[in-house]
Amino acid sequence: MKSFTYERAVSVRSAAIAAAGNPQAKFIAGGTNLLDLMKLQIEAPGHLIDVNGLGLDKMEKTSDGGLRIGAMVRNTDLAAHVDVRRDYGLLSRALLAGASGQLRNKATTAGNLLQRTRCPYFYDTNMPCNKRQPGAGCSAIGGATRQHAVVGASDACIATHPSDMAVAMRALDATVETLRPDGQQRRIPIADFHRLPGNTPHIETVLERGELITAVTLPAPIGGTHIYRKVRDRASYAFALVSVAAVVQKDGTGRVALGGVAHKPWRMASAEAVLPQGAKATTALLLGAARPTHENEFKVALVERTLAGVLNQAKGQS
């Protein structure tokens, strides 16, 4: 790990200003992803701004019946919160499907949204990676691709987003709240928060330099059966090969988002419109543009079967 300087931010605004004024600065909260990347010298910030003491660890009801989750709320606390378990069960289940108990105790809501891909070529500094070093090339293309994206990828990057929580929040239509260094607040629909790789896979979100996530807001509960089903190589502490986050109503309508198949949580309104027709019709639209490799073409069938299981489970609980 390379040497760095450190400060504890005293206000949200001062943290944003400090980050904007130093291109080598990074925010740190739980550090469950950043510290690993620093040890491997994939990330080498010259300055860390600790945002743990800014009072962003509260949860509160919104005026329209929704829930505002502070950016520093720990994953364990979010999963266990009574309002989340009652009204947003999908989110609680997704959180508990991710990482380990120790990691969830440290990981934060904002950090979970910002965690970086687990592509093995990204973590191997001996291999070219456009995400780690723009213009270097993509070792995954033509390499081992079992875990990689089947849809929304580019010639520059075929990595997937690793978060379980973000997939659930995509299904719930969350909004990311931020503060810019100039003091302006911004509300970003989570559908627009993560970017597809295109020619700039190293730019993973729409955040600007110094812009700090302050909270994530969920709209009022929508009822229905909340299900998160994650398929992985072992029962715990593994990232999703595919995951399905769904809210299904009694009439078979609902919402569905996928994890493990793209560079961001994957959801399409056109696919949800045919959800009452079943998993095959829905998957055909969700992954109609899929371009899998010979090593991960199984993901297309796996999504359909996992979604079928989710819909059957919802039918049994309705």
Side-chain angles (χ1 to χ4, degrees), residues 231-301:
V231 182
R232 46 189 162 178
D233 283 328
R234 57 175 184 263
S236 68
Y237 200 48
F239 295 96
L241 289 171
V242 305
S243 65
V244 174
V247 182
V248 185
Q249 305 299 331
K250 290 183 178 179
D251 62 1
T253 62
R255 304 175 177 187
V256 60
L258 303 179
V261 300
H263 203 254
K264 59 187 289 184
W266 195 254
R267 183 181 172 194
M268 296 176 66
S270 59
E272 292 177 357
V274 302
L275 196 60
Q277 298 177 29
K280 185 173 183 179
T282 307
T283 303
L285 289 173
L286 276 169
L287 299 183
R291 298 291 183 271
T293 69
H294 71 283
E295 289 187 354
N296 67 13
E297 59 188 0
F298 72 93
K299 286 191 174 186
V300 176

Side-chain angles (χ1 to χ4, degrees), residues 153-217:
S154 72
D155 292 338
C157 181
I158 58 172
T160 56
H161 192 272
S163 172
D164 294 290
M165 184 197 79
V167 180
M169 287 189 166
R170 179 69 182 89
L172 293 169
D173 280 335
T175 299
V176 181
E177 298 181 20
T178 69
L179 184 77
R180 286 169 162 157
D182 62 5
Q184 291 188 352
Q185 296 179 337
R186 188 154 71 126
R187 293 174 56 84
I188 308 168
I190 196 167
D192 302 327
F193 183 77
H194 295 105
R195 293 164 50 109
L196 290 178
N199 294 321
T200 55
H202 59 293
I203 304 174
E204 298 173 325
T205 72
V206 297
L207 291 177
E208 300 170 0
R209 180 185 294 177
E211 190 171 11
L212 179 65
I213 298 174
T214 54
V216 177
T217 302

Side-chain angles (χ1 to χ4, degrees), residues 93-114:
R93 294 180 182 105
L95 284 161
L96 294 175
S100 64
Q102 292 91 338
L103 287 170
R104 291 193 294 270
N105 288 341
K106 291 294 292 182
T108 64
T109 301
N112 196 312
L113 291 175
L114 297 174

Side-chain angles (χ1 to χ4, degrees), residues 26-260:
K26 288 276 188 182
F27 298 123
I28 186 167
T32 56
N33 189 205
L34 178 59
L35 291 179
D36 280 346
L37 295 172
M38 289 173 65
K39 292 173 186 174
L40 296 169
Q41 298 190 15
I42 296 169
E43 296 267 15
H47 185 65
L48 289 183
I49 303 169
D50 188 333
V51 294
N52 279 292
L54 301 181
L56 302 175
D57 56 353
K58 309 293 191 302
M59 296 178 63
E60 56 189 354
K61 293 277 193 179
T62 62
S63 58
D64 62 355
L67 188 65
R68 187 174 188 271
I69 304 160
M72 298 303 118
V73 172
R74 306 293 162 172
N75 285 179
T76 295
D77 297 330
L78 182 57
H81 194 277
V82 62
D83 291 339
V84 175
R85 294 177 63 188
R86 183 188 61 231
D87 299 329
Y88 308 98
L90 168 65
L91 176 57
S92 180
R93 294 180 182 105
L95 284 161
L96 294 175
S100 64
Q102 292 91 338
L103 287 170
R104 291 193 294 270
N105 288 341
K106 291 294 292 182
T108 64
T109 301
N112 196 312
L113 291 175
L114 297 174
Q115 64 178 304
R116 307 199 69 186
T117 182
R118 262 60 180 184
C119 173
Y121 298 105
F122 174 72
Y123 277 80
D124 185 347
T125 56
N126 293 309
M127 303 295 287
C129 172
N130 286 320
K131 186 180 286 293
R132 178 168 24 84
Q133 184 178 352
C138 176
S139 300
I141 297 175
T145 55
R146 183 172 181 270
Q147 296 181 331
H148 289 78
V150 298
V151 68
S154 72
D155 292 338
C157 181
I158 58 172
T160 56
H161 192 272
S163 172
D164 294 290
M165 184 197 79
V167 180
M169 287 189 166
R170 179 69 182 89
L172 293 169
D173 280 335
T175 299
V176 181
E177 298 181 20
T178 69
L179 184 77
R180 286 169 162 157
D182 62 5
Q184 291 188 352
Q185 296 179 337
R186 188 154 71 126
R187 293 174 56 84
I188 308 168
I190 196 167
D192 302 327
F193 183 77
H194 295 105
R195 293 164 50 109
L196 290 178
N199 294 321
T200 55
H202 59 293
I203 304 174
E204 298 173 325
T205 72
V206 297
L207 291 177
E208 300 170 0
R209 180 185 294 177
E211 190 171 11
L212 179 65
I213 298 174
T214 54
V216 177
T217 302
L218 301 178
I222 59 171
T225 301
H226 288 225
I227 298 172
Y228 185 77
R229 188 169 291 199
K230 179 177 180 178
V231 182
R232 46 189 162 178
D233 283 328
R234 57 175 184 263
S236 68
Y237 200 48
F239 295 96
L241 289 171
V242 305
S243 65
V244 174
V247 182
V248 185
Q249 305 299 331
K250 290 183 178 179
D251 62 1
T253 62
R255 304 175 177 187
V256 60
L258 303 179

Side-chain angles (χ1 to χ4, degrees), residues 11-33:
S11 72
V12 174
R13 179 77 190 282
S14 68
I17 292 172
N22 184 351
Q24 299 300 313
K26 288 276 188 182
F27 298 123
I28 186 167
T32 56
N33 189 205

